[in-house]
Amino acid sequence: MQADYVIVGAGSAGCAMAYRLSEAGKSVLVIEHGGTDWGPFIQMPGALSYPMNMSRYDWGYQSEPEPHLGGRQLACPRGKVIGGSSSINGMIYVRGHARDYDHWRDSGAQGWGYADVLPYFKRLENWHDGGHGGDPAWRGTDGPLHVTRGSRDNPLTRAFVEAGEQAGYPVTGDYNGHQQEGFGPFDMTVWKGQRWSAANAYLKPALQRDTCDLIRALARRVVMQDGRAVGVEVERGGRVEVVTARKEVILAASSINSPKLLMLSGIGPAAHLSEHGIDVVADRAGVGQNLQDHLELYVQAAASQPVSLYKYWNLLGKAYVGARWLMNRSGPGASNQFESAAFVRSHAGVDYPDIQYHFLPIAIRYDGQASAEGHGFQAHVGPMRSPSRGAVTLRSSDPKDAPRILFNYMSHAQDWEDFRRCIRLTREIFDQPAFAPFYKHEIQPGADCQTDDELDDFIRQHVESAYHPCGTAKMGAKDDPMAVVDPECRVIGVDGLRLADSSVFPRITNGNLNAPSIMVGEKASDHILGRNSLAPDNAEPWIDPEWQTRQRVNDRTLTNKSVDRGVA
C-alpha cells in the first residue's frame, strides 16, 4: 500500500502517467473506484451509446437545474472504469487547434504553447491514415495510442464533405495536421475494430511491469502532513486505509472528481470549505471554478433512400452487427460511425474555427433512441468557445456524495447568437446538391422553426452536453489567484501534490477532449520525472489568410433563405 507515486484515477491522463512513470523504473500505484473494462459494450466501437448509460461504468452525474435552460438537468457522464471516460466516450480523436495552446501559454501556462505540446501529441500517437490522406509529418507513428479512420463507405458520410465544399468551405485531409479548418475524415481511437482506450493503450501494458499496480478503492481525501501530501485515504471493502506516497500524490480523477478531492482535502475556496466543516490547508479560490463544456444540438433530416444505419436498428440487424464484430472485429460495429467531421469559422473576423460538426449517418440520440422517422442522418453542431463558466462545489463533506455541478450553460447572449448561426449554417449545408439524392425533409428543428425566438425555444429544450467538462483546476502562473496548478502541474500552496487531467485546461480546446487529456498526462510525466520537456516543434498551422474579411474560402451568393446573411 505504498509506492513512489500514487495516482488517483485510471482515466486518460492517469493511465498515460502510470505508463511513463513505471517505464522510468518508478513504483506506481493507481487508485481506481471503477472496475474492469471487460465486455463487448465497451470494446465494440459501434456500441458506444451503451457504456455511457450504464451505472456499472459511469459515475452517473447530473448538473444542477440549469437556469438558462428552463431548469433542465443535463447528464454529465464520467467513466467509472479503468480507462476512465476514454472507455465510455465516442472514441473521437481531436488534438485541438494550435491557437488553443498558444492561448494557454499566453494566459500563464508557460511551456504549454502549441510548439511545446505538438511533440507530445506525436509521442503518444500511432497514427494510421487508412488511405484517406493526411499530414504524416505532423503525426506520430510509434506511440501507444492507435489512431485510425473509418472506411467511410456510407454515401451520406461522403455527401457531408462534398456538401461542405459546395457551400464554399475548404476540404482538409487531416484536421489534426497542418489544417484544422474545413470538412474531412474523422480520426478515432479504434484499432483492429476495437476501442483503443487509455486502458488498452497505456494501463494494461504498464500493469505488466513489476513497477506498476492497481487497487480498486474510493479515494476519500489526500492525507497531508505539515503542508505536504503524503498519501491518499481510501475506502475499500468497507475499511478505510491510507495509501502512502514516498515521492508525490497525483490527482487525475477528472474535472469533476479532482476538484472535489482537493476540496475534501482542505484545498479550495476557504469560505466554501468552512461551510462544510473542512479545515483549510490551502486557500485556493480557483478550485472548482472555471468549469467549461461544449454544448451541441442535432440538426436531423429524414432520408429519401434507405441508405442510413437505421437498417441495423432492429433485433435482427443488431444481432448481425454484434455477430460480425464478435467473429472478426469487422462490420458496422468496428467503427464509431463518426467518420466525417468539419471545423468552420462562424463569421468573418474569427481567426480559427469556432464551430465543430460531427456527422452521423443515422438520426439518433446519445441514449440510443432512433428517430421515429426511420432512415435519416444528422449533424451534431455547437460552438467551441462559449464565454459561459460554471463551477463544481461540494454537496457535503461526505466523500460518497456527488458534488454539485452547475455549468451555467447559455448564460451569455453570445451563446444564443452562436447557436442560431450553427443551425442556419447547417441547414445551408444540407441544402447543397450533394444531399439532393438523400434529403427528404428536416426532422428537427423542423421547417416551422425559423425566427430567432423559435430557434431559441428549440435550443433551450434540445441542446445537450457534448461531455467535455474541463477547466476546474486551471493551470497558470503562481501569482494568479485563480490558478490551481503551476505549469509543472504542481498544486499551488502545497508540496508533494500534482494534478494532471482536463481540470488543468485554462480554456477548453477545439473539439473532443480525450486527446488533449492524454497529452497532459504525457507532458506532466516529464515534469514529474524532472526531465527536460521535448524540444519544441515550430511547425506553422494553416490560418485562412483572409480570415478578417471572409467566413469561408469561397464566399458565394447563398441560395438558402434561412441562412443569416450576415455570416456569408
Side-chain angles (χ1 to χ4, degrees):
M1 293 292 287
Q2 63 175 284
D4 293 336
Y5 296 98
V6 175
I7 299 173
V8 181
S12 299
C15 289
M17 290 187 289
Y19 182 95
R20 294 301 180 190
L21 296 177
S22 62
E23 179 185 54
K26 308 300 181 183
S27 64
V28 179
L29 189 60
V30 182
I31 301 167
E32 172 55 50
H33 187 43
T36 177
D37 63 348
W38 180 88
F41 287 127
I42 278 186
Q43 299 300 335
M44 178 168 37
L48 64 91
S49 65
Y50 291 97
M52 71 172 62
N53 291 289
M54 297 173 69
S55 59
R56 175 181 176 182
Y57 302 127
D58 174 30
W59 283 89
Y61 291 144
Q62 280 194 317
S63 76
E64 296 295 293
E66 291 289 341
H68 306 283
L69 296 179
R72 291 169 56 206
Q73 291 183 269
L74 274 64
C76 181
R78 292 292 87 195
K80 188 179 66 175
V81 58
I82 62 168
S85 294
S86 77
S87 289
I88 68 168
N89 69 359
M91 292 154 283
I92 293 168
Y93 182 84
V94 183
R95 288 174 169 178
H97 196 279
R99 294 280 172 94
D100 294 327
Y101 300 102
D102 290 346
H103 180 274
W104 286 17
R105 177 199 63 207
D106 296 343
S107 63
Q110 286 295 321
W112 290 80
Y114 186 63
D116 304 303
V117 303
L118 179 55
Y120 287 95
F121 279 118
K122 290 183 177 181
R123 185 169 87 174
L124 69 88
E125 285 178 357
N126 194 330
W127 181 66
H128 313 263
D129 70 8
H132 294 295
D135 288 336
W138 291 69
R139 309 303 295 267
T141 56
D142 56 4
L145 190 75
H146 288 286
V147 179
T148 61
R149 292 176 173 179
S151 64
R152 309 186 75 230
D153 292 333
N154 190 288
L156 294 169
T157 298
R158 299 192 299 274
F160 180 69
V161 175
E162 187 179 351
E165 185 175 22
Q166 289 169 346
Y169 296 100
V171 170
T172 178
D174 189 356
Y175 64 80
N176 281 314
H178 173 59
Q179 179 177 331
Q180 185 190 67
E181 185 171 343
F183 284 65
F186 247 138
D187 283 350
M188 59 183 178
T189 51
V190 173
W191 177 235
K192 295 182 177 178
Q194 179 177 336
R195 176 192 292 270
W196 203 247
S197 65
N200 287 334
Y202 286 98
L203 184 62
K204 292 174 185 178
L207 290 173
Q208 298 300 310
R209 303 175 181 137
D210 293 338
T211 49
C212 186
D213 205 355
L214 172 75
I215 64 167
R216 289 190 59 193
L218 173 68
R220 294 169 52 88
R221 66 183 181 94
V222 178
V223 178
M224 309 293 298
Q225 283 184 4
D226 301 323
R228 181 177 183 83
V230 296
V232 180
E233 182 182 276
V234 302
E235 180 177 342
R236 60 173 180 163
R239 296 177 53 201
V240 175
E241 307 169 81
V242 173
V243 182
T244 303
R246 288 187 288 264
K247 292 183 180 290
E248 291 184 342
V249 172
I250 305 162
L251 301 185
S254 82
S255 58
I256 307 300
N257 286 327
S258 287
K260 174 189 169 183
L261 272 170
L262 285 178
M263 289 184 281
L264 290 173
S265 308
I267 303 163
H272 179 58
L273 301 185
S274 298
E275 287 175 13
H276 295 287
I278 299 171
D279 292 337
V280 178
V281 173
D283 181 7
R284 300 305 305 174
V287 174
Q289 304 300 304
N290 194 45
L291 175 62
Q292 300 160 66
D293 191 15
H294 288 140
L295 276 179
E296 64 179 13
L297 49 76
Y298 314 153
V299 177
Q300 294 181 326
S304 57
Q305 297 186 44
V307 293
S308 79
L309 298 175
Y310 185 73
K311 61 187 174 183
Y312 301 114
W313 221 253
N314 54 67
L315 190 60
L316 191 61
K318 290 180 179 180
Y320 166 78
V321 171
R324 279 198 65 181
W325 185 83
L326 287 169
M327 282 191 296
N328 57 12
R329 302 296 191 265
S330 67
S335 169
N336 62 3
Q337 298 303 330
F338 289 109
E339 296 184 351
S340 285
F343 293 87
V344 303
R345 293 178 295 109
S346 59
H347 55 84
V350 175
D351 59 344
Y352 71 102
D354 59 343
I355 293 174
Q356 181 185 12
Y357 283 101
H358 303 67
F359 181 78
L360 196 59
I362 186 173
I364 195 170
R365 298 190 328 208
Y366 265 138
D367 62 7
Q369 295 298 309
S371 167
E373 298 273 352
H375 282 281
F377 50 93
Q378 67 192 36
H380 302 213
V381 63
M384 291 291 95
R385 295 188 288 281
S386 167
S388 295
R389 296 292 183 270
V392 173
T393 53
L394 294 177
R395 193 174 302 275
S396 77
S397 59
D398 185 346
K400 293 183 179 179
D401 279 353
R404 295 185 186 276
I405 307 167
L406 181 66
F407 287 97
N408 202 29
Y409 291 127
M410 305 297 291
S411 58
H412 282 252
Q414 179 186 325
D415 293 320
W416 299 92
E417 180 182 340
D418 288 347
F419 262 105
R420 291 192 295 269
R421 185 174 282 123
C422 283
I423 294 170
R424 287 168 169 147
L425 289 173
T426 308
R427 284 171 161 169
E428 181 208 347
I429 292 163
F430 281 178
D431 196 44
Q432 297 303 311
F435 275 116
F438 311 111
Y439 188 91
K440 186 177 180 183
H441 61 258
E442 185 171 291
I443 299 173
Q444 69 170 38
D448 58 347
C449 187
Q450 297 291 341
T451 68
D452 285 0
D453 287 344
E454 290 167 345
L455 291 175
D456 287 351
D457 285 342
F458 173 80
I459 293 162
R460 190 176 295 108
Q461 295 173 36
H462 292 278
V463 76
E464 295 185 14
S465 170
Y467 309 143
H468 300 161
C470 64
T472 48
K474 80 166 189 174
M475 183 190 303
K478 285 187 176 182
D479 59 358
D480 179 349
M482 295 304 290
V484 177
V485 302
D486 70 12
E488 294 193 6
C489 297
R490 296 174 294 206
V491 176
I492 300 168
V494 297
D495 295 326
L497 180 62
R498 301 207 198 214
L499 194 161
D501 60 22
S502 64
S503 306
V504 307
F505 294 10
R507 189 174 71 177
I508 197 166
T509 55
N510 258 23
N512 312 67
L513 301 192
N514 180 230
S517 299
I518 295 174
M519 179 277 293
V520 165
E522 284 271 8
K523 192 169 188 297
S525 298
D526 280 355
H527 294 307
I528 294 164
L529 291 167
R531 294 174 172 170
N532 291 329
S533 294
L534 298 178
D537 185 331
N538 292 306
E540 285 290 330
W542 185 86
I543 300 288
D544 185 343
E546 298 181 46
W547 63 267
Q548 292 175 308
T549 56
R550 67 184 184 187
Q551 184 253 342
R552 61 193 85 179
V553 296
N554 184 9
D555 284 348
R556 61 185 67 185
T557 301
L558 305 180
T559 59
N560 188 334
K561 292 183 174 60
S562 69
V563 176
D564 180 352
R565 299 292 176 177
V567 306

